[in-house]
Amino acid sequence: METVISRSVRLIFSGSIAALSLGLMAAPAMAQDANVQRVEITGSSIKRATAETASPVQVISRDDLMKSGKATVAEYLQTLTADGAGSLPTGFGNGFAAGSTAISLRGLGATSTLVLLNGRRMAPFARADDGQKSFTDLSTVPMQIVERIEILKDGASSTYGADAIAGVVNIILRKDFEGLTLKADTGISGYSDDKQHRASLTFGKGNLDEDKFNFVINAEYTKSDMLMNKDRSDRKWIGKADLRPYGYPIGTQFAGGYINGNNDANAAPTGLIRDPNTLNYVSLPGCSTLSVSSPQDPKGGCLWHHDQFRSMQPSIESVNLYTRGTWQVNSDTQVYAEAGYSKRNTAFTLIPPSITPTIAFPPNAANPNGVINYGSGAGTTIVLAANHPQNPYGVPVRVRYQAFDVGPSTRQANNEFNRIVLGVKGSAMGWDYDAGYTHSESKLHLDYSNMLNMNVVKDALGNPNSKYFPYYIGAQAGKNPASLYAAMVTNATSDSTTKLDIVDFKASRELMQLPGGALGLAVGAEHRRDKLDNPSLSGTENGSINSSYVAAKGDSKVSAVFVEVLAPVIKTVELSGALRYDKYDRFSSTTPKLGAKWTPLKTFALRGTYSEGFRAPGPAESNADSQSTGTSTVRDPIRCPNGTPLAGATLTDCAIQVAAVKIGDPNLQPEKSKGYTLGLVWDPFNDTSLSLDGWKIKRSNEINPLPYNEAAALPTAIRADNNLTINGVVVPNTGTLLITKAPYRNSSFTEVKGIDLDVKQRVRLGDYGRATFGLTWSHVASWVRAESATVQYQFAGTHGNCDTSNCAGTPKDKINVTGSWDIGNWNFSGVLNYRSDMKNILYEGAGCASKLANGADAPNGCKIASFTTLDLSTRWNVSKQLQLYASINNVTDKIAPIDPLTYGGMSYNPMDASGAIGRYFKVGASYKFF
């Protein structure tokens, strides 16, 4: 008989006790109640008769996914209140891991969130995020066959891996389907663009009880159109790079072609050449035929903006195939096999290339620094030769040119993922066991078009003896022969792979009866091998193309054993404990996990956990051959101290995008973590349930690159030679910041803490059906990163940490409010999504990260406004076979708040993508043939 408290948890998690099962074979009933079926819950290998555990677990049902109107698993998970900074959205096309998607629980990064498929690991995406963080690509998971998703929020799972520092996301696919079902849906925005189409076919046959077998096959196809930033030109600031109409200066991060001042200018489509007498840059003619930006630069540059070219959302075409077979060999033994395949082709459009990049690569004999500054480097500066037809000065001159004649660069990321699982499970000698072998592999092919061969560019502009000279730029580019472009323009490609092989075994049983019930024991072991081979794009190994070197390689082996005990010491108290030992190639760890649950009343329970985690340095961090160059927005501490530009500098220097070179260090030590939760589960009234959990995670000895703002202050920073003149004296090494060196290191710690509230209310409406309402709220009380004992950064409520993916920020509050009404054959549902405002500062105590042209803090007095959207959906069960459904995302067509700092979206925050795309409609149908 179901207890009140178990019903409480069942309502809180929006699913039945059975829905919390990992889908393992039903175990024999507990001795004290032959009608209670035991299930296994994510985070524990011990089966139990009630759903509540000491650990907070959020369960998302198949019904929740359908009601949301979201197209993919990733889109849905990124709306969760527990997701934070470091999450990878679909539209982040200029990131390291473009073409992938990921979730970042607690904002601790995708590498600290363990993603499982049916309780087992998957091979990570073949290119690390930020060049450092290995993660699982959610795009490989087929949406239509998901049974449920379980999210373990207290982290550091002794069962699944001590590296699950922020938590576990366990995606569970259907295993027992019978029949044939066809689903199809199509979506379109309120602007009649951004079309998305999806179709899936699911076939299952066999009943384990009657036929002794079951197999299920699912095939899913999706296609999404590319959406350009300029397609939202009438949506206020959305997708706009030119923010001058809103009071911002000319030099925002997605602008180019403007002249900063003496000896300083950005690349322009006409070409800007430097007067050798005044050192001022002047524009070649023809700007009106190349740039659509208006008004133009008052200093005479040829201003242009990135939204002339860049995509907001990529084009995507994907295929997902999944099959599982289960055979009941006898009453005690079951054999199963899974196979999955995913192919996803993603394409982004970016801007045309600049001919004067600053790029980094591994040092060599010819270049021991490993950096080439083509704009103003000694011996590497690209110039127009004295006799170049477009050079009126008669001496070689510097040039700043954005090669519109070459055209925008496209980035294609084609990812293939496959996975095979072979396993056996059953009962023997009083034990329930499960053993299996998993092989998983990810292959990524990158193809970047319209890249430049820098040696040809340099000769074609500055060497009269070259067969490619002269290269006409800007408005005169039509004079160039095809042979020049054939030699100068190239595609850069790379082929990366990751491989994962795992052998695992686990078993559980009851040992003895305690006053509160049976003492449960689980043991397990696994051995896994990871391989990563991520070569850099062709041509980046020596600086010969206009892109920096990004590569990682590694091979690691991990063996682990664990033991877990569940002890209901008395009727109202349950204690749990687990111990895991991991042996890596160079490190080992022993990590405990403890839990307690006290149920003094049938309607009330207190719970808490303590856990420890461990993450060894990954191949991108620890291999000396691994190197990457990332970008972030920083305030130049030299040219803009205290947020005010010095004479000769500009407001652009106060929020400048800077590149940082990060190199693997074999001497890095592992990260360690400690996590705590304390909470309650309560049924205050009939049909009302709530849970409240406080949480804290401290990750010590953390592996981070040197913060970009600190690296910018070092003398190793690479700067242009437009040095400042202070009190009549030219000060060396004060030019425009170009690139820094930010090596990986073990910094002190990161500590995050907050609370989660989950409330469910069911309303019985008699003849008018039934309704369910819910509220989920996550509050981040503190998010501190300590680089040392004296240097700490508080990110909670701010736009930081901008050193991580897309600079989305750390809002203190995220809330989801849900409502659902079932009446007859109809269901009507709604979701209200809210994120709180953020200070537009890089960390607490820092000056405002963005300024208006008049020097005022921006936006809104240095605050990114809060954002709320409403999504609605409906379903109609026309018959037992046919179901029709429809949804509207962002029903009120809410416009995302202006965000001038993030680089993950053009003038809007990537967390608010629905407010950039606008109102979105979707209709679909599902038909079950038998």
Side-chain angles (χ1 to χ4, degrees):
M1 183 174 180
E2 185 183 32
T3 63
V4 176
I5 193 66
S6 69
R7 186 179 76 249
S8 161
V9 178
R10 176 172 54 80
L11 290 173
I12 287 172
F13 293 154
S14 302
S16 67
I17 293 176
L20 281 173
S21 165
L22 280 178
L24 299 177
M25 183 179 65
M30 281 191 173
Q32 60 264 42
D33 188 344
N35 296 316
V36 179
Q37 190 179 58
R38 295 181 299 170
V39 296
E40 187 181 357
I41 297 167
T42 294
S44 172
S45 289
I46 295 177
K47 298 177 180 180
R48 61 193 72 208
T50 53
E52 72 272 15
T53 71
S55 297
V57 178
Q58 181 178 357
V59 176
I60 300 156
S61 68
R62 183 169 72 248
D63 205 40
D64 295 331
L65 291 173
M66 177 167 284
K67 290 175 183 177
S68 72
K70 302 301 182 184
T72 65
V73 170
E75 282 185 37
Y76 184 91
L77 291 178
Q78 287 169 349
T79 67
L80 297 182
T81 60
D83 187 38
S87 184
L88 295 176
T90 303
F92 190 31
N94 60 332
F96 283 95
S100 66
T101 53
I103 183 174
S104 170
L105 293 177
R106 309 303 187 195
L108 287 172
T111 196
S112 288
T113 302
L114 178 59
V115 177
L116 306 173
L117 188 65
N118 293 333
R120 287 184 166 96
R121 293 176 183 246
M122 297 183 282
F125 190 67
R127 206 172 198 225
D129 179 38
D130 286 333
Q132 173 193 11
K133 306 176 185 75
S134 178
F135 68 96
T136 301
D137 178 17
L138 292 170
S139 305
T140 60
V141 178
M143 174 82 158
Q144 296 293 354
I145 200 172
V146 173
E147 175 69 27
R148 68 190 178 279
I149 302 172
E150 298 175 359
I151 301 175
L152 178 69
K153 292 184 176 181
D154 63 348
S157 167
S158 294
T159 302
Y160 296 115
D163 55 341
I165 289 173
V168 178
V169 177
N170 190 11
I171 303 169
I172 300 162
L173 306 184
R174 301 190 69 174
K175 304 182 178 74
D176 57 354
F177 184 82
E178 292 184 72
L180 175 65
T181 298
L182 175 64
K183 279 187 178 182
D185 58 60
T186 185
I188 190 170
S189 78
Y191 292 83
S192 299
D193 57 15
D194 195 26
K195 296 176 183 176
Q196 298 179 4
H197 310 290
R198 180 176 53 183
S200 70
L201 183 70
T202 306
F203 174 71
K205 185 175 177 62
N207 181 283
L208 280 176
D209 293 330
E210 298 176 3
D211 305 316
K212 305 305 180 184
F213 77 91
N214 174 267
F215 68 87
V216 59
I217 299 172
N218 174 260
E220 182 175 315
Y221 172 79
T222 61
K223 182 175 175 59
S224 302
D225 292 347
M226 185 177 290
L227 178 66
M228 307 301 293
N229 280 285
K230 61 187 177 184
D231 293 335
R232 293 296 178 266
S233 58
D234 61 346
R235 199 169 173 81
K236 294 188 176 179
W237 47 77
I238 297 299
K240 286 186 173 60
D242 187 0
L243 295 180
R244 290 175 297 170
Y246 306 99
Y248 289 83
I250 192 171
T252 45
Q253 64 172 313
F254 298 114
Y258 55 89
I259 296 174
N260 274 329
N262 185 261
N263 197 16
D264 190 13
N266 284 266
T270 54
L272 302 177
I273 58 176
R274 191 175 71 162
D275 185 328
N277 300 309
T278 66
L279 301 185
N280 289 325
Y281 281 87
V282 296
S283 177
L284 295 174
C287 186
S288 61
T289 65
L290 295 165
S291 173
V292 298
S293 299
S294 180
Q296 266 300 320
D297 180 10
K299 294 182 179 178
C302 182
L303 181 67
W304 68 283
H305 291 92
H306 291 201
D307 51 342
Q308 189 171 342
F309 300 100
R310 279 183 51 168
S311 53
M312 177 182 287
Q313 295 289 320
S315 66
I316 303 173
E317 187 171 16
S318 68
V319 173
N320 277 295
L321 303 175
Y322 172 78
T323 184
R324 177 183 170 99
T326 307
W327 295 268
Q328 192 73 41
V329 179
N330 55 47
S331 60
D332 295 324
T333 308
Q334 194 178 90
V335 175
Y336 59 90
E338 295 177 27
Y341 173 80
S342 170
K343 182 175 176 59
R344 177 179 165 104
N345 297 338
T346 309
F348 300 86
T349 302
L350 298 179
I351 60 175
S354 163
I355 67 165
T356 51
T358 301
I359 54 181
F361 48 90
N364 54 44
N367 193 315
N369 290 325
V371 174
I372 294 179
N373 176 10
Y374 284 106
S376 56
T380 60
T381 304
I382 287 181
V383 297
L384 285 188
N387 61 341
H388 191 286
Q390 292 174 283
N391 181 359
Y393 298 110
V395 296
V397 295
R398 291 185 183 179
V399 59
R400 298 288 185 264
Y401 180 50
Q402 203 82 27
F404 279 26
D405 56 314
V406 168
S409 176
T410 59
R411 290 189 177 181
Q412 294 190 23
N414 300 333
N415 187 44
E416 284 190 74
F417 172 84
N418 62 72
R419 182 174 181 266
I420 296 173
V421 179
L422 303 174
V424 58
K425 61 183 177 182
S427 301
M429 296 179 289
W431 290 85
D432 298 330
Y433 67 88
D434 188 353
Y437 165 73
T438 302
H439 172 78
S440 185
E441 187 171 346
S442 181
K443 298 179 181 179
L444 177 67
H445 174 73
L446 296 180
D447 190 329
Y448 290 14
S449 75
N450 290 352
M451 307 298 285
L452 296 179
N453 182 323
M454 298 307 298
N455 294 323
V456 174
V457 172
K458 188 174 182 181
D459 275 358
L461 291 172
N463 180 8
N465 297 320
S466 169
K467 63 180 179 180
Y468 304 116
F469 184 86
Y471 169 25
Y472 290 91
I473 62 176
Q476 296 191 41
K479 298 179 180 181
N480 295 319
S483 59
L484 168 65
Y485 292 105
M488 183 177 68
V489 181
T490 185
N491 280 30
T493 63
S494 75
D495 289 280
S496 302
T497 59
T498 58
K499 294 181 181 179
L500 174 66
D501 289 278
I502 306 175
V503 178
D504 66 84
F505 171 82
K506 60 183 177 181
S508 64
R509 67 169 298 159
E510 296 175 358
L511 290 180
M512 58 181 291
Q513 289 295 319
L514 298 177
L519 175 66
L521 170 70
V523 295
E526 74 171 40
H527 176 77
R528 69 178 187 268
R529 181 174 183 177
D530 297 270
K531 288 184 178 181
L532 168 65
D533 184 10
N534 170 210
S536 190
L537 291 167
S538 53
T540 59
E541 63 278 358
N542 56 12
S544 62
I545 69 167
N546 59 312
S547 182
S548 290
Y549 183 88
V550 176
K553 190 170 185 176
D555 183 349
S556 65
K557 302 182 187 69
V558 184
S559 297
V561 294
F562 73 88
V563 60
E564 180 184 0
V565 176
L566 176 68
V569 290
I570 58 175
K571 290 291 185 182
T572 59
V573 176
E574 178 182 277
L575 302 178
S576 59
L579 193 67
R580 182 181 181 92
Y581 174 77
D582 289 274
K583 177 68 173 68
Y584 292 77
D585 296 328
R586 296 191 298 121
F587 307 102
S588 62
S589 71
T590 302
T591 50
K593 185 167 187 176
L594 302 172
K597 184 186 67 175
W598 177 42
T599 312
L601 302 172
K602 290 183 177 180
T603 58
F604 182 81
L606 294 174
R607 64 186 181 188
T609 63
Y610 167 78
S611 59
E612 294 184 8
F614 179 93
R615 187 181 78 85
E621 299 158 325
S622 61
N623 192 322
D625 294 332
S626 299
Q627 178 173 323
S628 65
T629 302
T631 60
S632 182
T633 303
V634 301
R635 175 178 58 82
D636 187 341
I638 303 298
R639 295 173 68 87
C640 186
N642 304 315
T644 302
L646 297 177
T650 68
L651 284 172
T652 303
D653 295 301
C654 301
I656 189 169
Q657 271 211 324
V658 60
V661 182
K662 299 172 284 187
I663 301 174
D665 183 354
N667 297 315
L668 288 174
Q669 296 300 304
E671 295 180 338
K672 298 180 180 181
S673 72
K674 293 182 178 181
Y676 310 83
T677 66
L678 181 63
L680 60 86
V681 182
W682 185 27
D683 272 357
F685 312 106
N686 285 338
D687 297 326
T688 303
S689 301
L690 67 84
S691 67
L692 180 67
D693 293 282
W695 48 269
K696 173 182 171 181
I697 302 172
K698 185 173 183 178
R699 188 169 60 187
S700 302
N701 218 28
E702 192 173 57
I703 301 170
N704 287 311
L706 181 71
Y708 285 30
N709 62 303
E710 294 183 29
L714 297 178
T716 54
I718 308 297
R719 295 176 176 272
D721 59 0
N722 57 323
N723 293 314
L724 299 175
T725 300
I726 301 176
N727 298 324
V729 178
V730 176
V731 181
N733 207 27
T734 58
T736 301
L737 186 61
L738 300 174
I739 196 167
T740 66
K741 295 188 177 182
Y744 293 121
R745 64 178 189 178
N746 288 109
S747 54
S748 186
F749 67 85
T750 285
E751 183 181 87
V752 296
K753 53 188 176 183
I755 57 174
D756 290 337
L757 173 67
D758 195 345
V759 181
K760 288 286 189 296
Q761 175 67 55
R762 187 168 58 187
V763 181
R764 306 172 193 270
L765 301 173
D767 294 340
Y768 296 96
R770 64 187 185 275
T772 303
F773 301 94
L775 180 146
T776 305
W777 169 47
S778 291
H779 173 72
V780 179
S782 176
W783 209 111
V784 172
R785 173 176 165 183
E787 289 299 319
S788 63
T790 58
V791 180
Q792 297 188 4
Y793 301 99
Q794 171 64 263
F795 294 126
T798 77
H799 210 311
N801 174 13
C802 274
D803 290 359
T804 194
S805 301
N806 64 52
C807 185
T810 309
K812 284 191 173 182
D813 297 289
K814 294 179 73 175
I815 300 174
N816 294 339
V817 179
T818 61
S820 181
W821 178 32
D822 290 283
I823 179 169
N825 293 325
W826 289 85
N827 171 268
F828 303 93
S829 298
V831 181
L832 197 69
N833 303 293
Y834 167 83
R835 70 145 180 87
S836 60
D837 57 33
M838 301 180 287
K839 298 177 183 177
N840 191 33
I841 56 179
L842 296 174
Y843 50 88
E844 195 63 55
C848 192
S850 305
K851 299 281 188 178
L852 298 177
N854 62 9
D857 292 345
N860 311 311
C862 202
K863 183 173 70 175
I864 308 298
S866 63
F867 185 59
T868 305
T869 57
L870 173 65
D871 302 332
L872 296 177
S873 67
T874 185
R875 286 181 296 165
W876 177 31
N877 295 318
V878 181
S879 66
K880 290 183 178 180
Q881 288 76 37
L882 178 63
Q883 182 184 84
L884 303 179
Y885 51 93
S887 65
I888 307 176
N889 282 356
N890 193 1
V891 171
T892 61
D893 202 24
K894 187 77 174 290
I895 296 176
I898 190 170
D899 187 340
L901 182 60
T902 182
Y903 48 88
M906 196 172 292
S907 303
Y908 68 91
N909 197 286
M911 289 190 299
D912 306 336
S914 63
I917 295 169
R919 188 182 290 119
Y920 199 87
F921 303 89
K922 186 179 293 184
V923 294
S926 173
Y927 190 85
K928 187 169 185 177
F929 291 89
F930 58 87

Short mmCIF file of all heavy atoms in Angstrom, two decimals, residues 327-352:
data_model
loop_
_atom_site.label_atom_id
_atom_site.label_comp_id
_atom_site.label_asym_id
_atom_site.label_seq_id
_atom_site.Cartn_x
_atom_site.Cartn_y
_atom_site.Cartn_z
N TRP A 327 16.01 -10.70 -24.60
CA TRP A 327 15.60 -12.09 -24.67
C TRP A 327 15.58 -12.68 -23.27
O TRP A 327 16.57 -12.59 -22.54
CB TRP A 327 16.57 -12.90 -25.54
CG TRP A 327 16.55 -12.46 -26.96
CD1 TRP A 327 15.79 -12.95 -27.98
CD2 TRP A 327 17.36 -11.40 -27.53
NE1 TRP A 327 16.05 -12.28 -29.14
CE2 TRP A 327 17.01 -11.32 -28.90
CE3 TRP A 327 18.31 -10.52 -27.02
CZ2 TRP A 327 17.58 -10.39 -29.76
CZ3 TRP A 327 18.89 -9.59 -27.86
CH2 TRP A 327 18.53 -9.53 -29.22
N GLN A 328 14.46 -13.25 -22.91
CA GLN A 328 14.31 -13.90 -21.61
C GLN A 328 14.76 -15.35 -21.77
O GLN A 328 13.99 -16.22 -22.21
CB GLN A 328 12.86 -13.83 -21.14
CG GLN A 328 12.67 -14.22 -19.69
CD GLN A 328 13.20 -13.16 -18.72
OE1 GLN A 328 13.00 -11.97 -18.95
NE2 GLN A 328 13.89 -13.58 -17.68
N VAL A 329 16.01 -15.60 -21.42
CA VAL A 329 16.58 -16.94 -21.62
C VAL A 329 15.88 -17.97 -20.74
O VAL A 329 15.51 -19.05 -21.18
CB VAL A 329 18.10 -16.92 -21.35
CG1 VAL A 329 18.70 -18.31 -21.52
CG2 VAL A 329 18.78 -15.91 -22.26
N ASN A 330 15.71 -17.62 -19.48
CA ASN A 330 14.95 -18.44 -18.54
C ASN A 330 14.41 -17.52 -17.46
O ASN A 330 14.56 -16.29 -17.55
CB ASN A 330 15.80 -19.59 -17.96
CG ASN A 330 17.08 -19.07 -17.31
OD1 ASN A 330 17.07 -18.12 -16.55
ND2 ASN A 330 18.20 -19.72 -17.65
N SER A 331 13.81 -18.08 -16.46
CA SER A 331 13.16 -17.24 -15.45
C SER A 331 14.16 -16.37 -14.69
O SER A 331 13.78 -15.36 -14.09
CB SER A 331 12.40 -18.12 -14.45
OG SER A 331 13.29 -19.03 -13.82
N ASP A 332 15.44 -16.74 -14.72
CA ASP A 332 16.44 -15.99 -13.95
C ASP A 332 17.44 -15.22 -14.81
O ASP A 332 18.29 -14.51 -14.27
CB ASP A 332 17.24 -16.95 -13.05
CG ASP A 332 16.37 -17.59 -11.99
OD1 ASP A 332 15.47 -16.90 -11.48
OD2 ASP A 332 16.60 -18.78 -11.70
N THR A 333 17.37 -15.34 -16.13
CA THR A 333 18.41 -14.76 -16.98
C THR A 333 17.81 -14.03 -18.17
O THR A 333 16.92 -14.55 -18.85
CB THR A 333 19.37 -15.85 -17.50
OG1 THR A 333 19.84 -16.63 -16.40
CG2 THR A 333 20.55 -15.24 -18.24
N GLN A 334 18.35 -12.86 -18.40
CA GLN A 334 17.90 -12.03 -19.52
C GLN A 334 19.14 -11.52 -20.25
O GLN A 334 20.10 -11.05 -19.63
CB GLN A 334 17.09 -10.85 -18.97
CG GLN A 334 16.29 -10.09 -19.99
CD GLN A 334 15.49 -8.97 -19.33
OE1 GLN A 334 15.98 -7.85 -19.19
NE2 GLN A 334 14.28 -9.27 -18.89
N VAL A 335 19.11 -11.59 -21.57
CA VAL A 335 20.20 -11.08 -22.40
C VAL A 335 19.67 -9.91 -23.21
O VAL A 335 18.52 -9.94 -23.69
CB VAL A 335 20.74 -12.18 -23.34
CG1 VAL A 335 21.79 -11.62 -24.30
CG2 VAL A 335 21.33 -13.33 -22.53
N TYR A 336 20.47 -8.86 -23.36
CA TYR A 336 20.00 -7.69 -24.10
C TYR A 336 21.14 -7.11 -24.94
O TYR A 336 22.32 -7.34 -24.68
CB TYR A 336 19.45 -6.63 -23.15
CG TYR A 336 20.43 -6.12 -22.12
CD1 TYR A 336 21.24 -5.01 -22.37
CD2 TYR A 336 20.55 -6.75 -20.88
CE1 TYR A 336 22.14 -4.55 -21.43
CE2 TYR A 336 21.46 -6.30 -19.93
CZ TYR A 336 22.24 -5.20 -20.21
OH TYR A 336 23.14 -4.74 -19.27
N ALA A 337 20.74 -6.38 -25.95
CA ALA A 337 21.71 -5.70 -26.82
C ALA A 337 21.11 -4.38 -27.28
O ALA A 337 19.90 -4.30 -27.54
CB ALA A 337 22.05 -6.57 -28.02
N GLU A 338 21.95 -3.35 -27.35
CA GLU A 338 21.54 -2.03 -27.85
C GLU A 338 22.49 -1.62 -28.95
O GLU A 338 23.69 -1.91 -28.90
CB GLU A 338 21.60 -0.96 -26.75
CG GLU A 338 20.66 -1.13 -25.61
CD GLU A 338 20.89 -0.03 -24.56
OE1 GLU A 338 21.36 1.08 -24.93
OE2 GLU A 338 20.61 -0.29 -23.38
N ALA A 339 21.97 -0.91 -29.93
CA ALA A 339 22.82 -0.31 -30.96
C ALA A 339 22.23 1.05 -31.33
O ALA A 339 21.01 1.19 -31.50
CB ALA A 339 22.89 -1.20 -32.20
N GLY A 340 23.08 2.02 -31.42
CA GLY A 340 22.64 3.37 -31.77
C GLY A 340 23.59 4.01 -32.77
O GLY A 340 24.80 3.77 -32.74
N TYR A 341 23.02 4.81 -33.65
CA TYR A 341 23.82 5.52 -34.66
C TYR A 341 23.19 6.90 -34.85
O TYR A 341 21.97 7.04 -34.93
CB TYR A 341 23.83 4.77 -35.98
CG TYR A 341 24.50 5.54 -37.11
CD1 TYR A 341 25.88 5.57 -37.25
CD2 TYR A 341 23.72 6.25 -38.04
CE1 TYR A 341 26.48 6.28 -38.28
CE2 TYR A 341 24.31 6.96 -39.07
CZ TYR A 341 25.70 6.97 -39.19
OH TYR A 341 26.29 7.69 -40.20
N SER A 342 24.04 7.90 -34.91
CA SER A 342 23.57 9.27 -35.13
C SER A 342 24.51 9.95 -36.12
O SER A 342 25.73 9.83 -36.01
CB SER A 342 23.56 10.04 -33.81
OG SER A 342 23.33 11.42 -34.04
N LYS A 343 23.93 10.65 -37.07
CA LYS A 343 24.71 11.47 -37.99
C LYS A 343 24.06 12.84 -38.03
O LYS A 343 22.86 12.97 -38.31
CB LYS A 343 24.73 10.86 -39.39
CG LYS A 343 25.58 11.66 -40.39
CD LYS A 343 25.69 10.94 -41.73
CE LYS A 343 26.44 11.76 -42.76
NZ LYS A 343 27.81 12.08 -42.36
N ARG A 344 24.85 13.86 -37.75
CA ARG A 344 24.32 15.23 -37.66
C ARG A 344 25.25 16.16 -38.41
O ARG A 344 26.43 16.28 -38.07
CB ARG A 344 24.20 15.64 -36.19
CG ARG A 344 23.73 17.08 -35.96
CD ARG A 344 23.66 17.30 -34.46
NE ARG A 344 23.56 18.69 -34.07
CZ ARG A 344 22.46 19.28 -33.65
NH1 ARG A 344 21.34 18.59 -33.60
NH2 ARG A 344 22.46 20.54 -33.27
N ASN A 345 24.71 16.83 -39.42
CA ASN A 345 25.46 17.81 -40.19
C ASN A 345 24.95 19.21 -39.85
O ASN A 345 23.76 19.51 -40.03
CB ASN A 345 25.30 17.55 -41.69
CG ASN A 345 25.85 16.20 -42.11
OD1 ASN A 345 26.69 15.63 -41.42
ND2 ASN A 345 25.39 15.68 -43.23
N THR A 346 25.86 20.03 -39.37
CA THR A 346 25.51 21.38 -38.93
C THR A 346 26.35 22.39 -39.71
O THR A 346 27.56 22.18 -39.88
CB THR A 346 25.78 21.55 -37.42
OG1 THR A 346 25.16 20.49 -36.71
CG2 THR A 346 25.25 22.87 -36.91
N ALA A 347 25.73 23.46 -40.17
CA ALA A 347 26.46 24.48 -40.94
C ALA A 347 26.15 25.87 -40.41
O ALA A 347 24.98 26.21 -40.19
CB ALA A 347 26.09 24.39 -42.42
N PHE A 348 27.18 26.65 -40.16
CA PHE A 348 27.08 28.03 -39.71
C PHE A 348 27.72 28.94 -40.76
O PHE A 348 28.66 28.54 -41.45
CB PHE A 348 27.83 28.25 -38.39
CG PHE A 348 27.34 27.41 -37.24
CD1 PHE A 348 27.82 26.13 -37.04
CD2 PHE A 348 26.41 27.92 -36.35
CE1 PHE A 348 27.39 25.35 -35.98
CE2 PHE A 348 25.98 27.16 -35.28
CZ PHE A 348 26.46 25.88 -35.10
N THR A 349 27.24 30.16 -40.83
CA THR A 349 27.88 31.18 -41.67
C THR A 349 28.51 32.23 -40.77
O THR A 349 27.84 32.77 -39.88
CB THR A 349 26.86 31.84 -42.61
OG1 THR A 349 26.25 30.84 -43.41
CG2 THR A 349 27.54 32.86 -43.50
N LEU A 350 29.77 32.52 -41.01
CA LEU A 350 30.50 33.54 -40.24
C LEU A 350 30.98 34.63 -41.19
O LEU A 350 30.59 34.68 -42.35
CB LEU A 350 31.66 32.89 -39.49
CG LEU A 350 31.24 31.83 -38.45
CD1 LEU A 350 32.47 31.24 -37.79
CD2 LEU A 350 30.32 32.42 -37.40
N ILE A 351 31.81 35.51 -40.71
CA ILE A 351 32.22 36.68 -41.47
C ILE A 351 33.36 36.35 -42.43
O ILE A 351 34.04 35.33 -42.26
CB ILE A 351 32.65 37.81 -40.52
CG1 ILE A 351 33.82 37.35 -39.65
CG2 ILE A 351 31.47 38.26 -39.66
CD1 ILE A 351 34.39 38.45 -38.76
N PRO A 352 33.61 37.18 -43.44
CA PRO A 352 34.79 37.00 -44.30
C PRO A 352 36.07 37.17 -43.48
O PRO A 352 36.08 37.80 -42.42
CB PRO A 352 34.65 38.11 -45.35
CG PRO A 352 33.20 38.50 -45.32
CD PRO A 352 32.76 38.31 -43.90
#
